[in-house]
């Protein structure tokens, strides 16, 4: 009996960081999922966008971030970017495309872990993969 792991972005990012063991778990898994859920609930009660692990975290993990300290530094950089907002607003949206393509390329690593021979996994994965770029509304 092979246990299949169903998780979301949090489990995927743990796998991307190399923390998932062969049995599909990672250290501190229970606490991580509970805190992720609590953060989502508190964020929703405060009226903010969902506060959770995003797939974009793969870029930070790829750059070496593993402990959460990366997020602290990113928040500091975001604070400093407030002072440069008028200058950053002058950058046209199409100039950010190459960066998004690089981030998307890093996320493709997870496609190798999909069981493409099992229709129950392959079909939803394919539909998601095909529709995400086609349904983006700016």
């Amino acid at each position: 009996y092979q246990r299949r792991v169903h998780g979301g972005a949090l489990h995927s990012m743990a796998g991307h960081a190399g923390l998932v063991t062969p049995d599909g778990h990672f250290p501190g898994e229970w606490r991580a999922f509970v805190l992720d859920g609590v953060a989502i609930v508190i964020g929703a009660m405060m009226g903010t966008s969902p506060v959770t692990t995003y797939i974009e975290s793969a870029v930070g993990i790829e750059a070496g971030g593993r402990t959460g300290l990366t997020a602290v530094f990113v928040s500091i950089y975001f604070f400093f970017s407030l002072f440069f907002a008028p200058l950053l607003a002058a950058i046209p949206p199409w100039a950010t495309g190459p960066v998004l393509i690089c981030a998307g390329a890093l996320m493709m690593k997870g496609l190798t872990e999909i069981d493409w021979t099992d229709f129950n996994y392959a079909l939803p994965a394919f539909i998601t993969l095909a529709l995400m770029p086609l349904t983006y509304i700016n």
Side-chain angles (χ1 to χ4, degrees):
Y1 172 70
Q2 176 99 11
R3 181 175 180 267
R4 293 191 182 211
V5 177
H6 300 279
L10 178 61
H11 194 277
S12 176
M13 291 303 97
H16 193 72
L19 299 174
V20 177
T21 60
D23 67 345
H25 296 285
F26 61 91
E29 177 180 44
W30 186 84
R31 284 183 291 158
F33 280 115
V34 168
L35 289 174
D36 195 40
V38 167
I40 291 170
V41 170
I42 291 174
M45 288 177 13
M46 300 293 227
T48 66
S49 59
V51 181
T52 185
T53 305
Y54 289 102
I55 297 299
E56 289 81 0
S57 301
V59 177
I61 291 170
E62 196 71 27
R66 300 279 194 278
T67 63
L69 198 55
T70 306
V72 172
F73 279 98
V74 168
S75 66
I76 292 169
Y77 293 140
F78 268 119
F79 174 74
F80 287 133
S81 74
L82 291 174
F83 302 108
F84 298 104
L87 179 64
L88 296 173
I91 298 173
W94 55 86
T96 60
V99 176
L100 295 175
I101 290 171
C102 290
L106 288 174
M107 291 185 243
M108 292 295 124
K109 180 180 177 183
L111 292 177
T112 61
E113 298 175 15
I114 295 172
D115 184 5
W116 292 103
T117 60
D118 187 347
F119 194 70
N120 293 321
Y121 291 99
L123 182 65
F126 173 75
I127 290 172
T128 302
L129 183 66
L131 290 180
M132 266 200 271
L134 299 175
T135 58
Y136 176 74
I137 300 173
N138 189 4

